């Protein structure tokens, strides 16, 4: 009975898999290594599945969980002698290499992916150091081992990696890849492990300490894209790259300027924001206040907030007067008592059901968002009446945290350009870049690729630029000069 049930499960999950193009690799005479990337076509099943990001400033062993179920680009590597083949996400948002272990007995996910067997490799070296990477929706755990890793034609000898013996939950169960090869900095590597990329550079396996991503966004093309280790391919981009320095090693983090919607500045990043280039997710994540403004502009369905409308209705005019008197938008909500107030000064609010309740964290949060919206409109010289109306409208477009919002497919062609200013230059995203469309005709479904997540200081506020951004813009990760470069993809 158990065997028949397992066979049924295997057939069920295999029926959900998408046929993918073969990954290819090629080492050129110019000293670069090219890894062909697989591209998974989105379907309704994968579209509704979500992971979520998790950043914890105080814990070096915490790595953000990407929306890996939405990640469309991944390639092949091998481990051991003779080589054992695996598919891996090449992830610039983490720094460890891990794969399922043959000693993973109790996690269902391990039974649907390739597993590394140390006993079958003549180059395996026992390590045994325990490893655990905690995620927002679970964790993986296991232990470190050492073996030869082959990426394309390059062999990284005696590479430390994690054998995952525990993969709870469904996150990795339905993933189309086996594990993750992190390309971030060593500062965020669990167990202080030396990343694969570091060893490529230190052992002289690549010509230059640079790697670059070209992601093929053409849905009709079988070729998923290419990652080039050791340099760039001029055929992958147009014009010159705009480079910005890495401001904080760990993730590939850099400073960016303000964000514009249909040419109109939001004002949120007028004094600068931080961003990371992250190949491990398809999506683009930012602060809730700005994602709400984008949702409003593109007609995305949000979650109507009772607290939001209460704040606008009761405190809107007071907030506007404070902003008109040149008050700092970040301090307005404290000045009117909705944020940072003392226990003895707590204000009571009458909710729609007629009961009295203490102002809570939600009221403070929506007040801070409303202050950003109002300040943005004030810079456009809008009337007070129009500003309050606009803020009330935005209350209906507040996104659910870490989730995509539905949009009307018929409106895609009329949606605005969203512009990121990086290194003093504009980088435009068209609706075709940031909208996911599945199906055709009356069966078509569309969602916004923008998701909301508020990361507190000192790490945040933080924008996470995934494949939605790295698709239109060829991305160079220059480890030698600690900088990131963007140019229009060919």
């Amino acid at each position: 009975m158990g065997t028949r049930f397992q066979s049924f499960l295997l057939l069920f999950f295999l029926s959900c898999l998408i046929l993918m193009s073969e990954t290819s690799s090629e080492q050129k005479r110019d000293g670069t290594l090219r890894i062909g990337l697989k591209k998974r076509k989105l379907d309704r099943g994968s579209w509704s599945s979500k992971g979520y990001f998790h950043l914890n400033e105080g814990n070096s062993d915490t790595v953000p969980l990407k929306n890996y179920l939405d990640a469309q680009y991944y390639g092949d590597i091998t481990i051991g002698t003779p080589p054992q083949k695996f598919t891996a996400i090449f992830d610039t948002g983490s720094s460890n290499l891990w794969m399922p272990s043959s000693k993973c007995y109790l996690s269902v996910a391990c039974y649907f992916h390739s597993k590394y067997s140390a006993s079958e490799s003549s180059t395996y070296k026992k390590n045994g150091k325990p490893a655990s990477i905690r995620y927002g929706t679970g964790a993986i755990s296991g232990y470190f081992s050492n073996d030869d890793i082959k990426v394309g034609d390059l062999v990284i000898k005696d590479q430390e990696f994690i054998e995952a013996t525990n993969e709870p939950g469904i996150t990795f169960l339905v993933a189309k890849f086996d594990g993750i090869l992190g390309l971030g900095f060593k500062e965020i590597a669990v167990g202080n492990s030396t990343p694969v990329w570091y060893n490529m550079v230190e052992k002289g396996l690549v010509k230059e300490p640079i790697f670059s991503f070209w992601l093929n966004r053409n849905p009709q093309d079988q070729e998923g894209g290419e990652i080039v280790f050791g340099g760039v391919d001029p055929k992958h981009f147009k014009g010159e790259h705009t480079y910005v320095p890495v401001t904080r090693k760990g993730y590939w983090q850099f400073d960016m300027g303000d964000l514009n919607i249909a040419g109109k500045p939001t004002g949120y990043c007028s004094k600068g924001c931080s961003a990371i280039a992250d190949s491990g997710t398809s999506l683009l994540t930012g602060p809730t206040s700005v994602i709400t403004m984008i949702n409003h502009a593109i007609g995305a369905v949000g979650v109507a907030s009772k607290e939001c409308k209460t704040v606008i209705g009761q405190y809107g005019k007071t907030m506007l007067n404070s902003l008109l008197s040149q008050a700092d938008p970040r301090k307005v909500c404290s000045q009117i008592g909705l944020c940072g107030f003392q226990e003895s000064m707590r204000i009571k609010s009458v909710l729609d059901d007629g009961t009295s309740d203490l102002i809570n964290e939600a009221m403070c949060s929506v007040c801070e968002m409303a202050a950003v919206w109002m300040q943005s409109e004030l810079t456009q010289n809008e009337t007070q009446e129009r500003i309050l109306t606009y803020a009330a409208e935005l209350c209906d477009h507040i996104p659910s945290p870490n989730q995509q919002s539905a949009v009307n497919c018929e409106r895609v062609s009329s949606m605005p350009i969203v512009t990121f200013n990086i290194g003093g230059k504009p980088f435009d995203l068209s609706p075709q870049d940031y909208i996911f469309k599945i199906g055709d005709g009356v069966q078509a479904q569309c969602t916004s690729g923008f998701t909301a997540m508020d990361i507190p200081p000192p790490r945040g506020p933080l924008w996470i630029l995934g494949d939605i951004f790295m698709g239109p813009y060829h991305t160079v990760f220059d480890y030698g000069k600690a900088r990131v470069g963007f140019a229009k993809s060919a």
Side-chain angles (χ1 to χ4, degrees):
M1 181 67 179
T3 302
R4 293 178 62 186
F5 180 68
Q6 187 182 55
S7 298
F8 169 76
L9 279 177
L10 178 60
L11 289 172
F12 173 77
F13 283 106
L14 286 177
S15 68
C16 297
L17 298 179
I18 304 300
L19 290 176
M20 299 169 291
S21 58
E22 289 298 319
T23 295
S24 61
S25 66
E26 184 180 4
Q27 190 163 14
K28 297 288 188 179
R29 292 180 180 178
D30 60 5
T32 63
L33 172 70
R34 298 151 192 269
I35 304 295
L37 297 178
K38 296 178 180 179
K39 176 172 60 177
R40 179 175 64 85
K41 185 177 180 181
L42 288 173
D43 54 48
R44 286 183 175 85
S46 64
W47 186 34
S48 62
S49 301
K50 296 285 175 267
Y52 71 89
F53 298 89
H54 179 68
L55 291 171
N56 187 333
E57 183 63 25
N59 192 330
S60 62
D61 280 0
T62 299
V63 176
L65 175 64
K66 314 302 183 319
N67 283 299
Y68 282 126
L69 297 181
D70 285 328
Q72 299 178 75
Y73 302 93
Y74 42 97
D76 291 336
I77 68 169
T78 67
I79 304 177
T81 308
Q84 300 175 39
K85 186 177 178 181
F86 302 91
T87 56
I89 291 285
F90 290 90
D91 178 25
T92 59
S94 65
S95 299
N96 288 89
L97 168 63
W98 67 263
M99 287 293 161
S101 172
S102 61
K103 295 183 179 180
C104 178
Y105 303 121
L106 301 180
S107 297
V108 178
C110 291
Y111 289 92
F112 296 97
H113 293 91
S114 299
K115 294 182 286 186
Y116 168 76
S117 177
S119 63
E120 296 180 11
S121 174
S122 62
T123 47
Y124 161 76
K125 292 181 182 178
K126 185 176 180 179
N127 182 316
K129 181 173 61 177
S132 178
I133 304 178
R134 291 184 292 277
Y135 295 106
T137 53
I140 67 154
S141 59
Y143 53 87
F144 282 99
S145 291
N146 289 65
D147 208 333
D148 293 351
I149 310 296
K150 190 175 182 180
V151 181
D153 295 326
L154 299 182
V155 177
I156 304 94
K157 292 186 177 297
D158 196 29
Q159 172 67 45
E160 187 175 54
F161 69 101
I162 298 172
E163 286 193 55
T165 57
N166 188 28
E167 298 179 29
I170 66 167
T171 300
F172 296 108
L173 173 62
V174 294
K176 305 298 191 294
F177 53 88
D178 300 315
I180 296 167
L181 193 157
L183 293 170
F185 289 92
K186 188 175 181 178
E187 280 78 355
I188 59 170
V190 170
N192 198 35
S193 181
T194 300
V196 171
W197 168 245
Y198 277 53
N199 281 328
M200 282 187 184
V201 174
E202 293 169 5
K203 295 180 180 181
L205 300 180
V206 291
K207 181 180 179 181
E208 297 181 73
I210 293 172
F211 62 91
S212 55
F213 275 84
W214 170 65
L215 304 181
N216 187 357
R217 302 294 281 181
N218 183 354
Q220 307 304 321
D221 200 332
Q222 291 299 310
E223 184 180 13
E226 196 169 60
I227 177 172
V228 179
F229 290 103
V232 299
D233 186 339
K235 296 179 182 178
H236 288 166
F237 60 92
K238 302 175 183 178
E240 300 292 327
H241 286 85
T242 297
Y243 285 95
V244 286
V246 171
T247 55
R248 185 172 186 171
K249 288 186 177 180
Y251 308 100
W252 288 86
Q253 183 171 326
F254 54 90
D255 290 336
M256 62 173 252
D258 205 7
L259 180 140
N260 298 352
I261 304 173
K264 178 180 175 181
T266 62
Y268 186 88
C269 295
S270 59
K271 296 182 180 179
C273 283
S274 293
I276 65 174
D278 187 354
S279 62
T281 176
S282 312
L283 308 177
L284 200 157
T285 301
T288 302
S289 54
V290 186
I291 299 300
T292 301
M293 296 168 75
I294 294 174
N295 273 359
H296 179 265
I298 67 179
V301 177
V303 179
S305 168
K306 181 190 300 183
E307 294 85 358
C308 181
K309 293 187 175 182
T310 298
V311 168
I312 300 300
Q314 294 186 11
Y315 304 100
K317 291 184 178 179
T318 303
M319 293 170 66
L320 264 179
N321 290 334
S322 296
L323 291 169
L324 286 169
S325 63
Q326 307 300 313
D328 187 334
R330 294 170 296 183
K331 298 179 180 179
V332 166
C333 297
S334 296
Q335 292 174 354
I336 64 176
L338 289 183
C339 295
F341 45 83
Q342 300 297 321
E343 189 74 24
S344 59
M345 297 177 61
R346 284 190 171 182
I347 303 172
K348 292 192 174 184
S349 173
V350 178
L351 302 181
D352 293 348
D353 59 6
T355 62
S356 180
D357 194 20
L358 292 175
I359 298 289
N360 57 23
E361 186 177 349
M363 296 288 277
C364 173
S365 177
V366 295
C367 178
E368 291 176 336
M369 283 194 290
V372 172
W373 303 336
M374 292 179 182
Q375 181 65 29
S376 175
E377 292 299 291
L378 282 173
T379 60
Q380 305 300 314
N381 296 317
E382 296 286 357
T383 64
Q384 292 193 36
E385 182 179 359
R386 170 57 194 152
I387 292 172
L388 291 173
T389 300
Y390 174 69
E393 290 173 355
L394 287 178
C395 288
D396 291 324
H397 296 274
I398 296 175
S400 298
N402 312 302
Q403 293 186 17
Q404 292 170 262
S405 300
V407 297
N408 186 339
C409 291
E410 295 180 356
R411 290 193 54 195
V412 172
S413 61
S414 62
M415 291 179 185
I417 298 292
V418 177
T419 304
F420 288 80
N421 291 286
I422 300 172
K425 295 185 179 181
F427 291 83
D428 293 339
L429 293 181
S430 69
Q432 290 71 30
D433 294 326
Y434 62 73
I435 295 296
F436 289 108
K437 183 178 180 180
I438 301 173
D440 296 303
V442 295
Q443 299 297 322
Q445 297 181 29
C446 294
T447 59
S448 165
F450 293 102
T451 59
M453 181 174 63
D454 295 304
I455 301 171
R459 174 66 73 179
L462 185 69
W463 288 86
I464 301 174
L465 310 185
D467 296 345
I468 282 180
F469 190 87
M470 291 176 60
Y473 295 102
H474 179 262
T475 308
V476 176
F477 298 86
D478 190 336
Y479 172 74
K481 296 182 179 179
R483 61 180 186 171
V484 185
F486 303 100
K488 191 70 177 177
S489 287

